[in-house]
Amino acid sequence: MRFLPHTDEDIASMLDLVGLSGLEDLFAMIPEDCRRPSDLSLPQPLTEWELQDLMMESSGLMAVRPEYKVFIGAGSYEHFIPASVTHLAGRSEFVTPYTPYQPEMSQGTLQAIYEYQTLVARLLGLEVANASLYDGASALAEAILMAVRITGRKKVALSSLVHPLYREVVQTYLKPVGHSVLELPYLENGLTDLSKLEGAENLAAVALQSPNFFGCIENLQTAGELAHQGGALFITCFTEPMAYGLLKNPGCQGADIACGEGQSFGIPESYGGPGLGIFTTKMKYVRNMPGRLVGRTSDAEGRQGFVLTLATREQHIRREKATSNICTNSSLCALTAAIYLASAGGAGLRELAELNHDKAEYLKRELKKAGCVISFESPTFNEFVVKYPDNFEAAHDGLLRKKIVPGLSLAPYFPELKGHYLLCVTETKSKTDMDALVGEVAS
């Protein structure tokens, strides 16, 4: 679709038609103290080639495979992406279509989204999925707002082991509207302390991440039962959905909403984006779900077809009935995830998840032999926290020079865990890679 900007003459003509003298008059209803009186401080524009050089320079600052061996996950995971996924998702029919408002023109796009919804709903054990949200953090925030709408309550319990950046997004959503957050601390075993839920009243939702930010697998069943005893909805979020190829799904453990980031399913890390917000829930809550939903139907002649069934944003329905102003979905990323999941199949996804788990367990064992301390003994999937030997800070720079990134320091997020690092191992790491890290730590 071409973008043809308005000329000065076009703009003058339109302003004249509505009786305004300048563009600023269009914003006169916005209070003056809410408007920015000066231009943004932006650098001068670049030519296409200058911009390309800048992007290359910026990307060169990143430590990425295959040059580096990166043992960091923490919300963005390095997985192999089959060439078939990239090829199919890059077909022009999928890359170029606009929002599929007209079903007679968009059956391919609509069916692709429908297949995505079906696959993620089955993976997470819930009855309905939307066509995706922006990313995992916005999916969690929208899930909490949905629980507030359903229960009519304004307080939520949020585990401190939800990804720190997700928690910031939740606060950004809730603070301006006066909703409060009860933060659940963590225990010595790396799991969320649920004791604060006993006696807590009028909670709209209890939200946990599993595997949590420390990589530990939470007891979702118990958390769900405690949430429901108080009349709250139970929300499970995740940053690594690959785990549910191996673990019990959230739906069978009592989750009312399961949501999180889908980047692991065929989407490159790409220096932090784009993301895929997966969102699933129970059918009885479907009309409170944010975003859009594609359904399957049949036409007047009985032929199967797909159609945009539910879209609950303000643009489509009455404002007081809208559930969210999220007005799009990550369609191409959702399609990519659908192709990835369909390519792997149930057995393939389980095998891949087992590979992640087994490799992480191998590295965990070898680091213990090398004198490291595994900070939390609870079961993990493909991430875990380790405390390196006391002299590790000096060795850290040496590892980076050898192009090994030995995990993410937890100190900026949990000051009490200075010297502790979050490590991630996926199927991309070989035994040689892991032995090299252990050898450097032990030397």
Side-chain angles (χ1 to χ4, degrees):
M1 179 183 293
R2 281 189 168 185
F3 173 66
L4 300 174
H6 297 302
T7 64
D8 291 341
E9 290 77 12
D10 291 335
I11 296 171
S13 173
M14 288 187 282
L15 288 171
D16 184 58
L17 187 65
V18 295
L20 300 177
S21 58
L23 287 174
E24 285 298 315
D25 294 342
L26 290 171
F27 309 106
M29 77 291 292
I30 300 174
E32 194 168 348
D33 59 351
C34 294
R35 283 182 270 162
R36 183 185 179 90
S38 59
D39 292 335
L40 291 171
S41 176
L42 296 173
Q44 293 298 309
L46 302 176
T47 66
E48 178 181 346
W49 299 274
E50 290 171 333
L51 180 61
Q52 187 169 346
D53 288 343
L54 177 65
M55 297 302 288
M56 291 296 291
E57 183 181 347
S58 298
S59 65
L61 299 175
M62 305 293 289
V64 294
R65 71 179 300 272
E67 188 179 5
Y68 282 80
K69 303 302 178 188
V70 182
F71 290 87
I72 292 181
S76 182
Y77 300 91
E78 181 186 81
H79 291 291
F80 287 133
I81 300 174
S84 56
V85 173
T86 309
H87 175 74
L88 291 172
R91 288 182 62 92
S92 60
E93 303 95 312
F94 292 126
V95 170
T96 59
Y98 185 56
T99 302
Y101 290 129
Q102 295 173 281
E104 65 274 26
M105 297 290 291
S106 310
Q107 281 301 292
T109 303
L110 288 164
Q111 181 172 357
I113 296 173
Y114 180 84
E115 303 294 352
Y116 159 79
Q117 293 173 177
T118 304
L119 287 164
V120 297
R122 286 180 179 173
L123 177 70
L124 298 172
L126 283 159
E127 295 164 324
V128 59
N130 70 12
S132 74
L133 299 175
Y134 302 141
D135 53 25
S138 61
L140 175 60
E142 289 287 341
I144 288 174
L145 288 181
M146 177 173 152
V148 168
R149 286 193 299 273
I150 291 171
T151 62
R153 302 172 177 176
K154 296 183 177 181
K155 185 176 182 181
V156 300
L158 184 66
S159 167
S160 59
L161 297 182
V162 169
H163 193 297
L165 304 185
Y166 286 29
R167 283 187 277 129
E168 285 191 29
V169 172
V170 169
Q171 291 286 3
T172 302
Y173 268 63
L174 297 189
K175 196 172 181 180
V177 290
H179 301 336
S180 61
V181 175
L182 170 67
E183 187 163 292
L184 304 176
Y186 66 88
L187 300 167
E188 289 184 356
N189 61 6
L191 299 180
T192 301
D193 184 357
L194 300 174
S195 63
K196 277 197 170 184
L197 293 179
E198 297 171 3
E201 296 180 346
N202 293 320
L203 291 176
V206 175
L208 265 66
Q209 176 181 322
S210 185
N212 63 33
F213 190 65
F214 292 163
C216 298
I217 299 165
E218 295 276 6
N219 187 340
L220 298 182
Q221 188 83 38
T222 300
E225 289 170 1
L226 287 170
H228 293 151
Q229 284 173 14
L233 266 62
F234 179 44
I235 300 170
T236 299
C237 79
F238 50 81
T239 57
E240 175 52 298
M242 187 75 72
Y244 290 109
L246 187 61
L247 305 179
K248 281 185 177 179
N249 63 58
C252 76
Q253 297 183 81
D256 298 296
I257 303 170
C259 58
E261 176 57 53
Q263 173 268 323
S264 286
F265 294 153
I267 301 167
E269 291 181 279
S270 298
Y271 312 107
L276 169 64
I278 295 176
F279 195 106
T280 63
T281 187
K282 296 177 177 175
M283 184 57 79
K284 65 180 179 181
Y285 299 132
V286 69
R287 289 197 171 274
N288 274 286
M289 188 166 61
R292 59 174 58 142
L293 191 150
V294 173
R296 187 174 62 182
T297 186
S298 56
D299 66 12
E301 299 177 2
R303 295 174 300 186
Q304 175 180 271
F306 300 90
V307 65
L308 202 58
T309 303
L310 194 65
T312 53
R313 67 163 164 161
E314 293 169 4
Q315 182 178 322
H316 291 135
I317 62 177
R318 285 178 295 169
R319 183 171 186 174
E320 63 273 18
K321 297 288 186 184
T323 62
S324 167
N325 198 36
I326 282 195
C327 55
T328 189
N329 68 311
S330 302
S331 187
L332 191 58
C333 291
L335 168 75
T336 304
I339 296 171
Y340 183 92
L341 289 168
S343 300
L349 192 66
R350 181 178 180 83
E351 187 177 338
L352 199 50
E354 287 176 341
L355 196 57
N356 276 246
H357 172 266
D358 293 349
K359 287 194 171 190
E361 290 299 306
Y362 171 80
L363 181 58
K364 196 189 289 186
R365 284 196 303 272
E366 294 304 307
L367 286 172
K368 282 179 80 172
K369 291 178 188 174
C372 299
V373 175
I374 303 304
S375 307
F376 307 109
E377 292 299 328
S378 295
T380 57
F381 175 57
N382 65 1
E383 290 184 284
F384 59 91
V385 178
V386 63
K387 188 173 189 309
Y388 286 118
D390 291 339
N391 59 353
F392 180 71
E393 293 300 328
H396 185 268
D397 292 342
L399 281 166
L400 292 181
R401 283 195 293 274
K402 292 181 180 179
K403 299 186 176 179
I404 299 174
V405 183
L408 176 73
S409 172
L410 289 179
Y413 309 102
F414 299 88
E416 70 276 15
L417 294 179
K418 185 179 179 183
H420 296 251
Y421 285 75
L422 178 65
L423 272 73
C424 177
V425 184
T426 67
E427 75 278 7
T428 62
K429 295 295 174 295
S430 66
K431 182 174 181 295
T432 303
D433 297 334
M434 294 186 281
D435 288 345
L437 171 61
V438 174
E440 292 295 331
V441 171
S443 63

